[in-house]
Amino acid sequence: MQRKRYSPGRVPGTLLGLGAGLAVVAGALTGCSAADTAEDVTVDAKAGAAAAPVAPPGRYRTLFEPCGAVPQATLRDLLPGTAALTDVERAAVLRGTAAVTYDTDRRVGCAWTADSGNGTHRLVLDVERVVSYDPTVSDAARAQEVYTRKQLAAGIAVPETPAPTPTAPTTAATTSGATKVSATGAATPTGTPSSPTASGGATPPGTGAPSAGTPSAPATTGLEPRLLGGLGDIAFVGDALGTTGGSGTQRVVSVVFRTSNVIVTVEYRQRTTGAAAAPDSKELQDRAQNLARLLADRLEE
């Protein structure tokens, strides 16, 4: 049998096939390793994604009992008609009537009413704890939205945040009365036109002192609905005078303030009958504000 001749540099077919198979296997392993690495990066990126910040909870979790929150002496001052009642009748009036609510940790209230010879005094207390169900909005921020709606309903505008003043662009043109700089750097004053009034001309329309018929702004008494300082985080007082059946009048004063996520409303009203004078605005406002400050202190306990 004749043997095949061996030629240097020539690779047998069997070895070529074995080498190709090893290359395919190595390529497959490399592909799997690359795919696994990409998947690992994706998982790590998802696991490391920054979560949305959670808003802080409100300061208050419960509310105080409203009917017992107002001292008896304060109630007697606010309800002067109780002086003419018997001890049993006075005790019943000063006890108050609790508002019907479904969750006393979210909202409570109480009301007191006393008749007098020439009218009626009524005090209503409402306390609401606001809770935000949006994890990105705090309880206090949600309470501020509720407070703002009450303020607008009282006819008190919400101050607008002033927009930033844009910077005027720099131009090469000069204004009247400015100094013109020549190409050589020398300053040359420009002429300033004289005003029409100084030269004897007529005053342009729309300028000068207003005529006698120009309406002036209404005078304020300091008792109109307004924001209050030094009461909770933010507060306002509302005042409305109206009529009741026949010739009677009624004034309703409301003091509303917010402390964190709690909103307190003190409504104090007086109704007069017959020829009695209209209820005094300052007296009712002072009494309602004093009670509101007392309740604000109660929230701090």
Side-chain angles (χ1 to χ4, degrees):
M1 178 178 175
Q2 187 177 2
R3 296 181 179 179
K4 293 182 179 181
R5 299 180 60 185
Y6 174 77
S7 301
R10 182 177 179 182
V11 181
T14 303
L15 295 178
L16 287 175
L18 179 60
L22 292 175
V24 171
V25 172
L29 293 175
T30 303
C32 292
S33 176
D36 293 343
T37 303
E39 291 178 358
D40 291 342
V41 171
T42 303
V43 171
D44 291 343
K46 290 181 179 180
V54 178
R59 176 180 176 184
Y60 300 98
R61 290 288 181 271
T62 59
L63 298 173
F64 55 78
E65 197 284 312
C67 292
V70 185
Q72 296 285 295
T74 302
L75 286 173
R76 286 194 290 269
D77 290 339
L78 294 171
L79 307 170
T82 57
L85 301 177
T86 65
D87 293 342
V88 175
E89 293 172 335
R90 185 184 304 110
V93 171
L94 298 181
R95 192 178 303 120
T97 302
V100 178
T101 61
Y102 296 101
D103 186 352
T104 55
D105 284 336
R106 291 291 303 276
R107 191 163 197 165
V108 294
C110 195
W112 300 262
T113 304
D115 297 328
S116 59
N118 59 352
T120 302
H121 288 80
R122 179 174 173 82
L123 173 66
V124 179
L125 177 61
D126 179 80
V127 186
E128 179 181 4
R129 183 175 69 90
V130 180
V131 177
S132 172
Y133 294 100
D134 185 343
T136 63
V137 179
S138 68
D139 294 343
R142 189 69 73 200
Q144 178 62 29
E145 296 176 2
V146 177
Y147 167 87
T148 299
R149 290 195 291 268
K150 292 177 177 289
Q151 178 178 317
L152 293 174
I156 305 173
V158 177
E160 296 182 359
T161 303
T165 304
T167 304
T170 304
T171 59
T174 58
T175 58
S176 176
T179 301
K180 183 187 297 182
V181 180
S182 64
T184 61
T188 305
T190 59
T192 303
S194 60
S195 63
T197 305
S199 60
T203 302
T207 62
S211 62
T214 303
S216 59
T220 59
T221 62
L223 298 174
E224 60 278 349
R226 63 198 183 279
L227 296 178
L228 298 175
L231 179 58
D233 295 333
I234 188 171
F236 72 85
V237 58
D239 192 325
L241 179 65
T243 59
T244 58
S247 59
T249 58
Q250 176 178 255
R251 184 178 296 277
V252 180
V253 170
S254 299
V255 176
V256 181
F257 70 90
R258 178 185 68 82
T259 298
S260 185
N261 61 319
V262 168
I263 299 174
V264 178
T265 301
V266 176
E267 182 185 278
Y268 186 40
R269 64 178 64 197
Q270 180 183 356
R271 184 176 68 238
T272 59
T273 58
D280 183 71
S281 180
K282 186 177 186 309
E283 179 182 357
L284 268 62
Q285 287 193 24
D286 288 345
R287 290 181 174 183
Q289 288 185 53
N290 290 338
L291 176 57
R293 296 183 192 282
L294 185 150
L295 296 173
D297 292 339
R298 176 67 181 271
L299 286 172
E300 298 298 327
E301 296 179 356

